[in-house]
């Protein structure tokens, strides 16, 4: 027997006989009620995929390090608070999924997993990452969202193969300048943190296609929400591959003129900022399809601090009239005094929200 699939049952234990199958290569016990894993899992010498996601497991036995053939280890949705140091012996491991557990730290031996390409650690309680993480130079996807980190480790730039980095919903106060060393990065998510700006070095990410930096704010119990990102570096204009830029719910009062150099940009999200004007050459963004500049309606006589205040839009073909691909333009809650007549020439425009 080479494959065993026992998902969506009511198993409370891993049947011991499964550990005695000498040719077993794939074992999936996800979505059961398993509480413990037996020490005997170390006998699964040929298993390449071991999946026990969505159970009630709180302890991973040290014998997991004896599963020398495992390539894909799936532990998502359990109650695991620690990983044993022996996990560092899994030299063939390529994919590790420990999403939605209770991890507060990773063992230093984590840096021995040099075959890893995909690491999913979202939804834990990680405060920091081990310095040894910089040894994992084959990682292409690193998911760290929804943890408790206040900074990224200083040697993270050694992960030169990284294409996707998600660190949203942490407590990051800044991004290190070393972020600019991720030459292969195509997706970067830093939303829902406490950032005040983006580093100048972000302009070195020439392959970046999606950047999400929305909702950087101090959460309750702070009485008044303070929107954080106030400025963008001019170097953002060097992100020539960028197609999606989300900066909703920050405190930007101006956009650098260089943003008009991102000519592949298709979506630009700027809800709930403090913008009073757009760059005069916004019309350079010929591929822009979605531009959002709205504010949330408020009954208060004193609008919240994160309010755009656009009185006019740049006119002419160099202005908004040059965004020929525009399909959605969101301007709700701005005190516009004039609607550019060029909007009538935007043949692809399907949504125009002004009220």
């Amino acid at each position: 027997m080479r494959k065993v699939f026992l998902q969506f049952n009511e198993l409370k234990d891993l049947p011991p006989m499964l550990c005695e199958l000498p040719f077993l290569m794939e074992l999936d016990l996800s979505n059961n009620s398993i509480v413990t894993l037996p020490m005997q899992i170390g006998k699964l010498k040929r298993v390449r995929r071991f999946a026990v996601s969505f159970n009630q497991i709180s302890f991973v036995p040290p014998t997991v390090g004896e599963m020398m053939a495992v390539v894909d280890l799936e532990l998502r949705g359990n109650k695991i608070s620690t990983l044993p140091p022996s996990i560092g012996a899994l030299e063939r491991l390529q994919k590790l999924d420990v999403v939605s557990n209770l991890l507060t730290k990773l063992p230093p031996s984590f840096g021995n997993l040099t075959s890893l390409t995909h690491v999913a650690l979202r939804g834990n309680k990680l405060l920091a990452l081990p310095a040894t993480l910089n040894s994992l130079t084959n990682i292409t996807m690193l998911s760290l969202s929804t943890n408790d980190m206040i900074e990224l480790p200083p040697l993270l730039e050694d992960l030169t193969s990284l294409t996707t980095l998600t660190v949203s919903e942490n407590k990051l106060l800044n991004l290190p300048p070393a972020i600019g060393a991720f030459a292969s990065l195509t997706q970067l998510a830093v939303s829902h943190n406490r950032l005040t700006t983006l580093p100048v070095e972000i302009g070195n990410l020439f392959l970046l296609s999606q950047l999400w930096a929305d909702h950087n704010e101090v959460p309750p119990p702070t009485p008044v929400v303070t929107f954080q990102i106030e400025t963008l570096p001019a170097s953002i204009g060097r992100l020539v591959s960028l197609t999606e830029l989300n900066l909703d719910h920050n405190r930007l009062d101006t956009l650098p003129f260089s943003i008009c150099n991102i000519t592949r940009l298709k979506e630009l999200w700027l809800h709930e900022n403090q913008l009073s004007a757009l760059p005069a050459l916004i019309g350079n963004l010929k591929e822009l399809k979605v531009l959002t500049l709205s504010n949330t309606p408020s009954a208060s006589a004193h609008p919240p601090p994160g309010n755009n205040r656009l009185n006019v839009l740049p006119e002419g073909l160099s202005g908004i009239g040059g965004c020929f691909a525009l399909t959605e333009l969101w301007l709700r809650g701005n005190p516009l005094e004039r609607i550019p007549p060029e909007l009538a020439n935007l043949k692809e425009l399907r949504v125009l929200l002004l009220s």
Side-chain angles (χ1 to χ4, degrees):
M1 193 179 300
R2 295 182 179 272
K3 298 183 180 182
V4 174
F5 300 102
L6 291 169
Q7 312 99 305
F8 296 98
N9 285 286
E10 296 296 330
L11 297 175
K12 292 181 171 54
D13 297 290
L14 191 158
M17 55 84 62
L18 294 178
C19 298
E20 305 296 335
L21 299 175
F23 301 107
L24 190 62
M25 298 182 66
E26 184 171 358
L27 177 57
D28 194 334
L29 293 158
S30 300
N31 297 92
N32 278 281
S33 301
I34 297 172
V35 176
T36 60
L37 294 176
M39 297 291 284
Q40 289 88 339
I41 63 170
K43 295 182 178 181
L44 299 172
K45 304 294 186 183
R46 297 193 181 188
V47 166
R48 292 175 55 82
R49 176 174 176 258
F50 183 67
V52 288
S53 295
F54 302 108
N55 280 282
Q56 302 296 317
I57 299 165
S58 59
F59 175 72
V60 178
T63 49
V64 70
E66 299 173 18
M67 300 171 64
M68 300 304 295
V70 72
V71 172
D72 184 354
L73 180 59
E74 301 173 23
L75 303 168
R76 176 185 294 236
N78 281 285
K79 300 178 180 180
I80 300 166
S81 57
T82 60
L83 293 175
S86 61
I87 198 169
L90 301 179
E91 59 183 27
R92 297 184 183 179
L93 189 64
Q94 296 178 12
K95 296 182 180 180
L96 176 64
D97 185 342
V98 203
V99 168
S100 298
N101 276 280
L102 302 173
L103 295 175
T104 57
K105 62 180 180 179
L106 300 174
S109 62
F110 199 81
N112 297 334
L113 301 173
T114 53
S115 295
L116 276 176
T117 60
H118 290 67
V119 181
L121 294 163
R122 175 172 51 83
N124 280 279
K125 299 180 181 297
L126 293 172
L127 299 171
L129 299 174
T132 55
L133 192 74
N134 70 306
S135 301
L136 308 183
T137 55
N138 289 314
I139 287 183
T140 60
M141 190 283 291
L142 180 56
S143 171
L144 293 163
S145 295
T146 320
N147 279 284
D148 294 321
M149 296 185 299
I150 60 172
E151 63 179 1
L152 297 177
L155 297 177
L156 203 62
E157 72 268 20
D158 290 339
L159 308 185
T160 53
S161 299
L162 201 61
T163 61
T164 300
L165 175 61
T166 61
V167 290
S168 297
E169 296 185 73
N170 277 280
K171 299 174 182 177
L172 299 179
L173 300 175
N174 58 66
L175 294 179
I179 197 83
F182 294 145
S184 300
L185 204 64
T186 61
Q187 294 180 318
L188 175 60
V190 295
S191 306
H192 293 271
N193 278 287
R194 300 179 182 182
L195 303 177
T196 56
T197 187
L198 299 177
V200 171
E201 291 80 4
I202 203 165
N204 297 334
L205 304 179
F206 301 122
L207 298 181
L208 195 67
S209 63
Q210 294 172 309
L211 172 57
W212 299 287
D214 54 288
H215 290 84
N216 275 279
E217 59 198 34
V218 177
T222 305
V224 178
V225 172
T226 303
F227 299 89
Q228 294 292 301
I229 295 183
E230 298 182 354
T231 60
L232 295 177
S235 61
I236 201 166
R238 300 206 303 264
L239 300 180
V240 293
S241 299
L242 201 64
T243 61
E244 184 176 342
L245 176 57
N246 191 333
L247 294 161
D248 284 349
H249 291 267
N250 280 291
R251 206 176 181 180
L252 296 169
D253 56 9
T254 60
L255 296 176
F257 289 115
S258 61
I259 205 168
C260 301
N261 297 332
I262 313 176
T263 54
R264 294 184 185 178
L265 199 60
K266 290 180 169 55
E267 298 184 15
L268 178 55
W269 299 79
L270 293 161
H271 283 308
E272 301 282 352
N273 277 278
Q274 294 187 350
L275 295 171
S276 57
L278 294 178
L281 299 180
I282 194 77
N284 285 357
L285 305 181
K286 304 298 183 187
E287 297 185 23
L288 191 65
K289 293 186 176 183
V290 178
L291 176 58
T292 70
L293 294 150
S294 290
N295 304 309
T296 301
S298 173
S300 171
H302 303 285
N307 260 17
N308 291 311
R309 301 181 298 275
L310 296 170
N311 296 112
V312 296
L313 298 176
E315 298 190 9
L317 293 180
S318 62
I320 198 70
C323 299
F324 299 118
L326 206 59
T327 61
E328 298 184 26
L329 179 57
W330 296 60
L331 294 162
R332 170 183 284 174
N334 283 278
L336 288 173
E337 298 173 357
R338 172 180 167 81
I339 306 299
E342 294 86 1
L343 289 184
N345 299 326
L346 301 181
K347 303 302 182 183
E348 302 299 321
L349 194 61
R350 299 292 181 268
V351 176
L352 177 58
L353 188 61
L354 298 172
S355 59

